[in-house]
Amino acid sequence: MRTKRRIVVIDDDEWLVDTYTHTLAKAGYEVARAANALEAVQVIDTFQPDVIILDIFMPGPNGVALLHELQSYPDLARIPVIVVTNAARDIRHGALTPYGVQAVLDKTAMTPEDILLAVKRVML
Amino acid sequence: MQGSYSEKRAVGNDIPGSQIPALVAAAHELKSPLALVRQLSLALQTGDYSPKEIDALAERITLTSERALRLTNDLTRAARLEDSFFSLEPLNPHTMLEEVADELAPLYRAKGRRIVVSPRRYGLLAVANHDLLRRVLMNFADNALHYSGSQQPVTLGVTARPKQGTIRLGVRDYGPAVPADIWKRSLQPGTEHAWHMRPESSGLGVSIARQFAEYMGGQVGVTRHQDGATFYVDIAASMQMRLL
């Protein structure tokens, strides 16, 4: 029986992940992290998160490749995804919805509070 | 006031269309460190951190700002390359690698990584411009940090290539291999339009490194490994060594 909701943060910038993790853990979430898409598949598989927070541009296969991969597993495809990226303005509204993306946050404009609000919203 | 408005328009009109992709690439490259500095600053403002954590956040802001400044300095230098005079001089490449490793050590340490210089028994002498060569190597080593895992240290090394009359200074990282198409695209002169399509942060830096190397009569390249890559710069070996 889980006592905390689980979140996986996937981003190659470990210092950004540290700030997200700090904010989310303080709000009572259990957080796991992955630095790239390949590592993420394993972490998601074992951690079974309730929400995925995903960067798009990472070394190796990018976030979009991971979204495609997740869609090929029915159980993982159901996990809501929040995309957090520097290129949020280049993503057409709704373009990633078919891949389970329920929110897109702009790294250049968001606040720590925004990530909490987005998590709460997609968990409703 | 009207005068200053005209001046601004004139400056804007001076930017040739061919430079716009490079400007876009530069903006893209700077976005990541600036966004990170902003997030770290916002984290500091929350008041949720212990004194030790606050120190760590402040150090990260400093190191990230320095990284962004290195890029802006390289961009400025690259834009003025033709108008400047850079003298070539004999220099010890191993000492140069140690300088680069020393300068980047705090950033590597803060990221939980290591940077080392391969020991070398015999000294070599290269002919290069100290500032430009240092920038090329800083660029590669900075890039290696981004692409490396924490298990293996990024390793700087120098080898003589007697047949070619050159010396190779390499930066070996251990991370995802560079896709061949991306590498070719980022190195071909005149294909800078591809930079803005590159998601990762190496394209512009590598292209600038190439410009600096070519200005010294050298060249840059990469050896791809299964577990990473070695980015290198080949520069002329000093003939003075033959006199010894």
Side-chain angles (χ1 to χ4, degrees), chain A residues 12-16 18-20 22-23 26 35-36 38 56-62 86-90 106-112, chain B residues 28 31-33 35-36 38-40 42-43 46 48-50 53 57 59-61 63-64 107 110-113 146-147 176-177 199-200:
Chain A
D12 58 315
D13 192 322
E14 60 206 271
W15 289 352
L16 267 183
D18 282 348
T19 64
Y20 302 161
H22 184 94
T23 303
K26 195 164 184 298
N36 56 60
L38 298 174
I56 293 294
F57 299 134
M58 295 179 285
N62 63 23
N86 281 332
R89 289 170 196 187
D90 299 328
D106 184 348
K107 275 184 187 174
T108 66
M110 70 180 210
T111 65
Chain B
H28 176 81
K31 211 188 246 189
S32 291
L36 178 58
R38 180 175 174 277
Q39 289 299 324
L40 294 170
L42 288 169
T46 60
D48 289 342
Y49 290 83
S50 68
E53 289 169 330
L57 285 171
E59 185 192 25
R60 290 174 179 189
I61 289 170
L63 292 168
T64 308
L107 179 61
K111 292 255 183 187
R113 309 281 202 279
H146 185 68
Y147 286 92
E200 296 86 5

Side-chain angles (χ1 to χ4, degrees), chain B residues 37-229:
Chain B
V37 166
R38 180 175 174 277
Q39 289 299 324
L40 294 170
S41 304
L42 288 169
L44 270 180
Q45 290 168 35
T46 60
D48 289 342
Y49 290 83
S50 68
K52 194 178 171 187
E53 289 169 330
I54 288 171
D55 286 347
L57 285 171
E59 185 192 25
R60 290 174 179 189
I61 289 170
T62 305
L63 292 168
T64 308
S65 306
E66 287 172 357
R67 190 163 185 251
L69 285 168
R70 270 198 298 277
L71 178 61
T72 57
N73 288 336
D74 283 354
L75 285 166
T76 310
R77 186 55 58 97
R80 293 179 183 161
L81 208 48
E82 298 303 325
D83 304 331
S84 308
F85 177 73
F86 297 98
S87 62
L88 301 182
E89 57 194 342
L91 54 84
N92 182 334
H94 194 262
T95 306
M96 169 71 75
L97 293 179
E98 287 176 336
E99 276 179 33
V100 169
D102 283 347
E103 188 162 345
L104 286 178
L107 179 61
Y108 269 70
R109 206 163 32 244
K111 292 255 183 187
R113 309 281 202 279
R114 285 190 303 136
I115 181 168
V116 297
V117 180
S118 284
R120 187 170 173 83
R121 185 177 293 186
Y122 303 106
L124 294 171
L125 206 55
V127 179
N129 177 269
H130 186 277
D131 180 45
L132 293 183
L133 182 58
R134 188 179 141 279
R135 285 171 190 271
V136 170
L137 294 165
M138 289 287 285
N139 195 294
F140 288 167
D142 193 88
N143 208 35
L145 173 64
H146 185 68
Y147 286 92
S148 279
S150 56
Q151 306 298 321
Q152 298 264 24
V154 167
T155 306
L156 313 184
V158 56
T159 50
R161 304 174 79 232
K163 280 186 185 170
Q164 291 83 2
T166 60
I167 285 173
R168 175 166 292 181
L169 294 94
V171 177
R172 168 76 157 102
D173 65 51
Y174 297 84
V178 181
D181 57 332
I182 286 179
W183 172 250
K184 283 178 190 163
R185 210 165 53 205
S186 65
L187 278 189
Q188 285 168 5
T191 58
E192 286 80 2
H193 65 278
W195 292 347
H196 74 279
M197 295 188 290
R198 284 212 60 211
E200 296 86 5
S201 59
S202 64
L204 183 59
V206 169
S207 293
I208 290 173
R210 173 175 55 77
Q211 285 182 50
F212 290 168
E214 286 175 356
Y215 196 86
M216 295 184 287
Q219 61 176 18
V220 297
V222 65
T223 305
R224 297 164 70 222
H225 312 287
Q226 275 195 329
D227 59 348

Side-chain angles (χ1 to χ4, degrees), chain A:
Chain A
M1 180 73 181
R2 287 188 191 179
T3 55
K4 290 182 176 180
R5 308 297 290 273
R6 292 181 170 179
I7 299 170
V8 166
V9 180
I10 305 154
D11 195 313
D12 58 315
D13 192 322
E14 60 206 271
W15 289 352
L16 267 183
V17 177
D18 282 348
T19 64
Y20 302 161
T21 302
H22 184 94
T23 303
L24 294 166
K26 195 164 184 298
Y29 297 101
E30 191 176 351
V31 184
R33 52 205 286 166
N36 56 60
L38 298 174
E39 197 182 316
V41 174
Q42 181 146 13
V43 173
I44 291 168
D45 203 33
T46 54
F47 192 66
Q48 295 290 311
D50 299 292
V51 176
I52 294 169
I53 293 173
L54 174 67
D55 184 22
I56 293 294
F57 299 134
M58 295 179 285
N62 63 23
V64 176
L66 179 64
L67 288 171
H68 276 281
E69 178 72 8
L70 295 178
Q71 289 302 303
S72 59
Y73 302 97
D75 53 335
L76 303 184
R78 283 195 294 270
I79 303 171
V81 179
I82 298 168
V83 162
V84 183
T85 174
N86 281 332
R89 289 170 196 187
D90 299 328
I91 297 173
R92 189 168 46 81
H93 182 70
L96 297 177
T97 308
Y99 301 101
V101 175
Q102 296 193 12
V104 177
L105 296 180
D106 184 348
K107 275 184 187 174
T108 66
M110 70 180 210
T111 65
E113 187 68 18
D114 289 335
I115 208 156
L116 263 186
L117 290 173
V119 165
K120 286 176 184 166
R121 189 154 56 86
V122 302
M123 277 188 179
L124 286 177

